[in-house]
Amino acid sequence: MGGPWWRDAIVYQVYPRSFADSDATGEGDLRGVSSKLSYLSDLGVNAIWLNPFYPSPMRDSGYDVADYCSVDPRFGTLTDFDDLVSACGSRGIRVVIDIVPNHCSCQHPWFREALASPPGSTARERFIFRDTPNNWQSTFGGPAWTQTPDGQWYLHLFDASQPDFNWRHPDVPAMFERVLRFWLDRGVAGVRVDMANMLFKDPTLPDLDEHAAEVPYYDQPEVLQLYRSWRRILDSYPADSFPGPRTGVAEIWFTDPRKVRPYLTRDGLPQVFNFRLMLAPWTAGELRAVIDEARALAADTGCSMPWVLGNHDITRVVSRLGIDQELIRQPTDALRRGEAHVDVALGTRRARAAALLMLALPGAACLYQGDELGVPEYLGIPAARREDPTFYRTAGAAIGRDGCRIPMPWSGDTPPYGFAGEPVRTWLPQPADWARLTVAAGLSDPDSMLNLYRAALRLRREHPALGAGEMTWLERGAHELAFTRQPGFACVVNFGDEPVSLPSGSRVLLASGPVDDALLPCDTAVWLGL
Ligand code: GLC
């Protein structure tokens, strides 16, 4: 295949709190992850990305980090982490960790010191304290500034418990260099960089002008310099033996490709998630446009934009594709507010087709735990059990992301579905009707989503076209996406209302639904040998 491993890797996103619970506390942990590695290697993944497992008061489920170089006791110990990396290594699975550089937790020693120190002190300069706030709003709702007892305000673009660092203070980049080396020394294959375009703010902290093209807390030029320095650190680790060249994957939410282009440089991280595929409505035209946009960006830059269909921030794919797709274009999340009718059967059919579409595209893909089982968004979480700060900061107007973070169902007919070895109250409740969505149920049903993923990932490994094979669109109907990969492979997806015929002389390698008489039903994808 050639090229670094990350270029066409399948990366499986493990949300440690919800993956597997080894000690029956109701929360997942690192030993739980280690106990499920045969599942992951049978599935056929090349790497795992672990969401934050650092000491944290968990005000934003671990994205509020109190100590960047340790493991929260709820997740285990550093020894458990080392054991996980080595157990993964012996199966050829690489480990990517999450670095959260925009902000820390208010429990981080630096922020405690800042609060205890007077205005103007060095301790305060590591954060963004001001005498008067500007008009910036928190991503989670409400103002982005909170006042301290002495009258100053500090900036937090997320929860008030997540103060933003001042990246222009030299202590901050120096600390993160140490953090990177700390984990690279322990054998990690790369880092996922949280909110990678935010770190630096326009130093004058101007008010946000909703109509201006530039957002004063995005894309400051210094951030690109920073990632060049991180690339030098990543490159100082050996590339010629496992885990190979180290990667960095930026989390950047964008609508304008010109904004993301500067991050795609070989001397930078050099990957950026492609969320546009995940956020697009289920239409042939819109998906083709976002696929072409990403292919052009990757081709121009020699970098890579891993495809994504789901993650811990976005409504589960099965539910997203099971609603009126017009709602996807609207800014409010009607689905999570319970204002959209969800047709789970339709969404599942489409999510199966989307999986084959994504896995047939050139380049890496990132697969969020549970999507391979086809679990839907859980909309029935009682208000009192919700955890996401978005819910609290908007007084419930936005119900938040908990519904896509439900503990994994592994086996059995009732909660906790094998998530823990004994009955426990899981940190988020699991629905009562997930018995047919467990790993065990999926493995025993030849038509399950899980077996579709396993078959697709197997073919992806074996078929010569599904590595670096050239991709070319086939021009068919307006409601179809069809392309070839060289040699001898095609993928066809039918988005229309009527079945379509398959290209003549092709044979079905894998299909997301029943294909009879060479007719491809609607909302179905097929992989073909030519
Ligand atoms: C990223 C994470 C999200 C978190 C936020 C703040 O978007 O994916 O889960 O809440 O950053 O760290």
Side-chain angles (χ1 to χ4, degrees), residues 41 52 109 132 190 210 231 268 286 324 327 339 358 388 412 479:
S41 62
T132 28
E210 301 228 325
R231 167 80 348 225
E286 278 157 291
D324 174 356
L327 294 173
E339 291 161 6
M358 173 173 86
D388 187 346
H479 302 298

Side-chain angles (χ1 to χ4, degrees), residues 409-431:
W410 291 92
S411 58
D413 295 328
T414 50
Y417 300 112
F419 172 69
E422 51 192 272
V424 284
R425 179 182 159 103
T426 49
W427 72 283
L428 287 173
Q430 297 165 304

Side-chain angles (χ1 to χ4, degrees), residues 190-205:
V191 292
R192 176 261 188 195
V193 181
D194 191 64
M195 299 309 304
N197 55 341
M198 266 192 167
L199 283 39
F200 288 85
K201 281 84 191 174
D202 178 331
T204 65
L205 301 186

Side-chain angles (χ1 to χ4, degrees), residues 15 49 51 60 63-64 98 100 103 140 158 162 192 194-195 251 253 311-313 388-389 401 405:
Y15 194 76
W49 149 36
N51 286 101
D60 183 21
Y63 282 94
D64 46 331
D98 212 315
V100 189
H103 45 264
F140 294 157
F158 294 90
Q162 294 168 295
R192 176 261 188 195
D194 191 64
M195 299 309 304
E251 183 206 22
W253 299 83
N311 67 27
H312 65 292
D313 292 324
D388 187 346
R401 303 161 292 176
R405 299 174 174 178

Side-chain angles (χ1 to χ4, degrees), residues 246-267:
R246 309 308 196 264
T247 192
V249 193
E251 183 206 22
I252 298 177
W253 299 83
F254 67 95
T255 46
D256 179 349
R258 284 171 302 183
K259 296 274 186 212
V260 85
R261 173 78 174 66
Y263 294 87
L264 292 162
T265 71
R266 296 296 288 276
D267 61 354

Side-chain angles (χ1 to χ4, degrees), residues 8 291 362 365 432 474 495:
D8 42 31
I291 290 169
L474 293 174
F495 295 81

